[in-house]
Amino acid sequence: MLKPCATTAHPLPMTKAPILTSEMDTLIDTNPGMRSSKRGWTTCCAGSWITEASWRGEQSTAHRSRDLRLLPKLEGPGWLAGAIVTWRGHLTKLLTTPYEQQEGWQLAASRFQGTLYLSEVETPAARAQRLARPPLLRELMYMGYKFEQYMCADKPGSFPDPSGEVNTNVAFCSVLRSRLGNHRLLFSGEVDCMDPRAPCTQPPACYVELKTSKEMHRPGHWRNFYRHKLLKWWAQSFLLGVPNVVAGFRNPEGFVCSLKTFPTMEMFEYVRNDRDGWNPSVCMNFCAAFLSFAQNTVVQDDPRLVYLFSWEPGSPVTVSKHQDAPYAFLPTWYVEAMTRDLPSAPKTPSPKD
């Protein structure tokens, strides 16, 4: 039985953030167009993507399918065998699980040619919440996208043009290779922008994440911000190796009145002495423990066989087995391409062998 525990930290040899971050390297250069802002940041221009670029829609998983097209171009099944392929957002959920008290999650897992694939499944509660999302919340989500438009421009040396419509269905995604403990990871995540004046201009060291949040004027508000929102910002940025998060703080009327930069590797300092704060070691230990649990559970190599891992706050992780629809998520074209076009992967011993 696997159950998150936010009170005990047993650091792994590989759980220190600098180690995990330093082992990341960008495998795919999708040649984003340069989009700089008057503050010196450069966003990834969707118009300059190669054909393998990913698209993001609120209710669509097409971006994950397109990311799979990149895998045969990496290091082939020889490297993929035994690795874990997923999306950055799924790992973010795992990292923050020990401190999550409201929202559960479901992850579907399948093994194919020795590789473990993880894909999120929308829970009934999440679906109901999405369908009942009030207009105010939708407006706040839109403000985040609009903030990015205000901060970035289309060409180096030019200024932002916030007059156009916000297209929330485009995104630039970086494909990264990393390792957590004994687990080799290959995952993709969206990148907001890059800083051409960064000390190192090679990704991901030049990446910048853009966020918005409401203004806070009381110490209690800041404490809650550090305990909850900053945890998610840390997990999201840490995984991709993004060194800085730039936050715009908005007033009740929706106007951004101030900016603050949060270096990713310094976020823990805000809660280090808070007994109700979060600990990166706890986050990474649970994530590593879940990945081990999944590797040991999903032993049958069959892309149509799905193991559904479910978790709710206060409960242990449970697992059930399903064949084909509605949980099978590896596209038929991908299974056929990997089977037909690439040599067979050497048999990887099952963790239980």
Side-chain angles (χ1 to χ4, degrees):
M1 181 177 69
L2 180 64
K3 188 172 183 178
C5 178
T7 59
T8 305
H10 300 288
L12 295 173
M14 296 294 293
T15 54
K16 290 186 178 180
I19 297 177
L20 180 60
T21 303
S22 65
E23 291 194 357
M24 292 183 174
D25 55 299
T26 300
L27 297 180
I28 298 298
D29 178 10
T30 53
N31 298 319
M34 296 291 288
R35 297 179 62 195
S36 65
S37 77
K38 59 184 178 182
R39 298 192 60 84
W41 298 317
T42 303
T43 64
C44 305
C45 178
S48 298
W49 284 346
I50 59 173
T51 56
E52 291 83 3
S54 300
W55 292 75
R56 174 179 50 77
E58 181 181 355
Q59 302 180 37
S60 173
T61 58
H63 59 286
R64 297 168 197 167
S65 176
R66 289 185 174 88
D67 285 345
L68 289 175
R69 297 183 186 276
L70 299 174
L71 298 191
K73 301 180 181 182
L74 301 178
E75 299 186 35
W79 188 89
L80 287 175
I84 299 172
V85 176
T86 187
W87 182 253
R88 187 265 307 269
H90 308 347
L91 295 175
T92 299
K93 285 185 179 292
L94 291 175
L95 284 175
T96 59
T97 292
Y99 300 97
E100 180 59 55
Q101 299 177 354
Q102 297 182 351
E103 299 179 356
W105 47 255
Q106 288 186 323
L107 289 176
S110 292
R111 189 176 295 278
F112 174 53
Q113 292 188 341
T115 304
L116 182 66
Y117 296 84
L118 297 177
S119 181
E120 185 179 10
V121 175
E122 187 177 39
T123 65
R127 183 177 186 276
Q129 187 180 51
R130 173 173 57 81
L131 295 178
R133 188 174 291 155
L136 177 59
L137 183 55
R138 291 198 296 267
E139 184 178 0
L140 291 176
M141 294 173 63
Y142 173 83
M143 288 180 183
Y145 295 118
K146 193 67 178 181
F147 175 67
E148 296 178 10
Q149 192 180 53
Y150 268 93
M151 296 298 291
C152 303
D154 289 332
K155 297 180 181 179
S158 62
F159 291 90
D161 179 14
S163 61
E165 292 185 0
V166 175
N167 186 349
T168 64
N169 292 310
V170 296
F172 172 79
C173 295
S174 182
V175 180
L176 301 175
R177 181 177 59 184
S178 183
R179 184 182 294 271
L180 177 59
N182 296 323
H183 303 291
R184 286 181 290 129
L185 304 173
L186 184 67
F187 58 93
S188 176
E190 181 188 351
V191 176
D192 286 338
C193 54
M194 59 179 290
D195 183 0
R197 298 179 301 184
C200 177
T201 57
Q202 293 298 314
C206 59
Y207 289 160
V208 177
E209 179 75 18
L210 299 177
K211 295 290 188 181
T212 59
S213 187
K214 65 179 181 180
E215 280 188 312
M216 291 166 286
H217 304 286
R218 298 179 181 177
H221 294 164
W222 281 104
R223 263 196 313 272
N224 288 331
F225 171 82
Y226 296 144
R227 289 174 180 174
H228 304 293
K229 183 166 288 189
L230 204 61
L231 165 61
K232 295 184 178 180
W233 290 6
W234 167 82
Q236 184 183 48
S237 299
F238 169 75
L239 284 166
L240 277 187
V242 177
N244 292 297
V245 175
V246 175
F249 291 93
R250 63 179 185 274
N251 63 18
E253 288 72 39
F255 291 96
V256 172
C257 299
S258 63
L259 297 175
K260 182 177 176 63
T261 298
F262 294 91
T264 302
M265 303 311 297
E266 298 177 14
M267 290 181 181
F268 174 54
E269 298 303 320
Y270 289 96
V271 295
R272 180 183 292 274
N273 298 318
D274 184 351
R275 65 178 183 178
D276 294 320
W278 47 274
N279 188 316
S281 293
V282 171
C283 298
M284 289 183 282
N285 274 299
F286 174 76
C287 184
F290 173 83
L291 296 179
S292 295
F293 179 53
Q295 287 278 32
N296 291 326
T297 302
V298 186
V299 294
Q300 187 173 342
D301 202 292
D302 181 354
R304 311 313 303 173
L305 180 63
V306 177
Y307 293 74
L308 184 64
F309 295 88
S310 303
W311 175 80
E312 290 294 332
S315 302
V317 176
T318 61
V319 60
S320 57
K321 292 174 64 174
H322 307 268
Q323 189 74 33
D324 295 314
Y327 295 114
F329 58 91
L330 285 177
T332 302
W333 64 260
Y334 176 75
V335 174
E336 293 177 349
M338 293 293 284
T339 303
R340 178 184 65 248
D341 298 336
L342 296 175
S344 300
K347 185 179 184 300
T348 301
S350 166
K352 290 188 176 180
D353 290 346

